[in-house]
Amino acid sequence: MTADAPIQFVDLKAQYAAYKPEIDTAIQTVMDHARFIMGPEVAQLETALSEFCGAKHVISCSSGTDALLMIMMADGIGPGDAIFVPSFTFTATAEVPLLLRATPVFVDADPDDFNMDVEDLERRIAEVKAEGKLTPKGILSLDLFGLPADHEKMQAVADAHGLHLWTDAAQSFGGSCGSKKVGTMGRMTATSFFPAKPLGCAGDGGAVFTDDGDLADVMRSIRAHGKGGSKYDIARVGLNARIDTLQAAILLAKLPHFQAELERREAVANAYDAALEGVVKTPTRRQGRSSAWAQYTIQVDPARRDEIAAKMKEAGIPTAVYYPLPMHLQTAYRPLGGGEGSLPVCEALSGKVLSLPMHPFLTEGEIDRITTAVRKAVA
């Protein structure tokens, strides 16, 4: 790579080149047997994912959004239910309750690790109970940017109020809390295999993890139109949410390399930390919690963020803002939120965050270019 060559924010081409023989063979195998829906690779993938994270049951599906939809459908979420969700995240987190005609209640973020603030969660639950218009039913806890949330605290809140707790691990599969890997920290965990995720396929894909065999059976039914004992025995309202066999095959080819990729992501994050300490606010580490590093997100002066991003672009280095507007201020969700000032941490973070390139194929030279550009742009 020349000194002036642009750096990739997520380098899927480099990943494909590294694993091309395995991926091409996997794709050709599917083309040869032509079982494109629920072919043998789907069950093989579910077994391999179970072995990787330790969950007893893995139900693959068509996207991370459908994974969230399946877990809420399995718990019977519907009209009149209040679902407590983070506001500082991607739209799917609030979209899914609304698709089930439930109501998302937005919760502020922790200013350091970006995940849902437990104290504000308690306040929001108390407010909904006091108002009496909705029935609190569940908490959708998100592991933002790859760092697992404090699931023990979340579970304690859920237990105290008799609520379901679900984990949105769309960005954190591969992370861990102590000896527990993401996928085993709660009753049901949803993840995404969107191409840019730490473990990504070549299109849309997702999965749900659970140790509850009865829930797993219900979700297998839901993902196939609510199928009962046979194809035309419909036991419940369901979805068309099966993962394509081709996507399962690609994930199977990538999975043996995933642990090494996670270790490289950690090394990249450590190098960023060392080079940017005292220059910008780097991501907060939590003792005992290991991030999958879906993103490496710094915080900068909000008055200068656009300028800093522009200078980085001039240096051939892409950046991204996740997320420029919290959900409670977005057009579709504004009627459900409290307006400007109602979630001050989320609103402040949306003005300060800036994500740097993060993938396991960054070279030491590229990391040096990126961090040097950050220092120059900030100065």
Side-chain angles (χ1 to χ4, degrees):
M1 177 172 286
T2 66
D4 295 326
I7 290 172
Q8 299 301 310
F9 190 77
V10 175
D11 201 339
L12 296 176
K13 289 184 178 180
Q15 186 188 55
Y16 174 55
Y19 314 143
K20 189 177 188 300
E22 299 104 303
I23 293 172
D24 287 356
T25 298
I27 292 171
Q28 189 59 56
T29 299
V30 176
M31 297 306 295
D32 288 342
H33 68 56
R35 294 172 62 184
F36 301 119
I37 303 297
M38 298 304 290
E41 288 82 359
V42 173
Q44 292 166 20
L45 173 66
E46 292 174 346
T47 298
L49 291 170
S50 174
E51 291 172 351
F52 179 86
C53 75
K56 290 181 181 178
H57 303 279
V58 178
I59 305 92
S60 60
C61 61
S62 49
S63 70
T65 303
D66 281 339
L68 292 175
L69 194 55
M70 285 163 54
I71 61 178
M72 290 194 192
M73 290 175 72
D75 274 334
I77 299 305
D81 294 340
I83 308 300
F84 298 90
V85 303
S87 184
F88 189 62
T89 182
F90 183 63
T91 184
T93 308
E95 180 179 58
V96 168
L98 286 168
L99 289 171
L100 297 175
R101 298 177 64 197
T103 301
V105 177
F106 296 109
V107 180
D108 214 347
D110 183 293
D112 294 319
D113 70 13
F114 310 118
N115 287 319
M116 191 186 291
D117 181 83
V118 177
E119 291 183 3
D120 191 59
L121 171 62
E122 290 267 27
R123 286 192 291 270
R124 304 294 165 179
I125 294 171
E127 288 172 359
V128 170
K129 286 184 173 181
E131 190 175 27
K133 294 181 179 179
L134 299 170
T135 302
K137 277 293 183 71
I139 303 165
L140 184 54
S141 176
L142 176 79
D143 299 339
L144 197 64
F145 301 149
L147 180 67
D150 191 332
H151 294 289
E152 288 188 4
K153 284 186 177 179
M154 291 288 180
Q155 190 64 61
V157 173
D159 290 344
H161 296 280
L163 306 179
H164 297 300
L165 177 65
W166 310 291
T167 301
D168 183 346
Q171 300 179 16
S172 66
F173 187 67
S176 62
C177 289
S179 61
K180 289 187 174 182
K181 290 187 176 182
V182 168
T184 66
M185 297 177 204
R187 184 164 153 270
M188 286 190 280
T189 299
T191 197
S192 168
F193 300 128
F194 183 80
K197 302 299 184 187
L199 178 63
C201 52
D204 277 315
V208 177
F209 305 87
T210 185
D211 285 344
D212 189 315
D214 292 336
L215 281 173
D217 287 342
V218 169
M219 287 185 285
R220 291 186 186 103
S221 169
I222 289 171
R223 77 172 171 187
H225 298 285
K227 186 179 77 168
S230 64
K231 182 177 180 179
Y232 297 109
D233 170 27
I234 302 303
R236 55 182 54 83
V237 174
L239 306 168
N240 180 12
R242 299 160 300 195
I243 194 170
D244 291 343
T245 307
L246 279 167
Q247 301 302 342
I250 291 166
L251 287 166
L252 274 170
K254 288 185 175 184
L255 189 56
H257 304 282
F258 186 44
Q259 185 59 46
E261 287 195 357
L262 289 168
E263 291 168 7
R264 179 57 186 162
R265 285 175 179 271
E266 180 69 24
V268 172
N270 288 337
Y272 278 159
D273 283 353
L276 298 177
E277 183 179 5
V279 178
V280 294
K281 181 172 174 53
T282 56
T284 297
R285 305 299 184 101
R286 296 296 194 197
Q287 187 173 5
R289 287 189 250 164
S290 174
S291 178
W293 294 109
Q295 305 293 344
Y296 185 93
T297 301
I298 61 175
Q299 297 182 49
V300 300
D301 180 351
R304 297 193 58 221
R305 184 178 64 187
D306 290 348
E307 171 200 345
I308 291 167
K311 287 181 178 179
M312 298 285 286
K313 185 177 181 180
E314 288 174 6
I317 297 165
T319 59
V321 175
Y322 302 112
Y323 297 91
L325 195 65
M327 282 194 292
H328 71 283
L329 298 182
Q330 293 181 19
T331 302
Y333 307 122
R334 185 177 281 268
L336 302 169
E340 285 84 355
S342 61
L343 299 178
V345 176
C346 288
E347 293 166 35
L349 288 174
S350 288
K352 296 189 291 186
V353 292
L354 189 68
S355 295
L356 304 181
M358 170 51 80
H359 59 82
F361 298 94
L362 285 167
T363 66
E364 301 306 319
E366 288 173 328
I367 294 169
D368 183 64
R369 268 186 67 194
I370 293 163
T371 54
T372 299
V374 171
R375 289 195 297 270
K376 287 182 177 179
V378 170

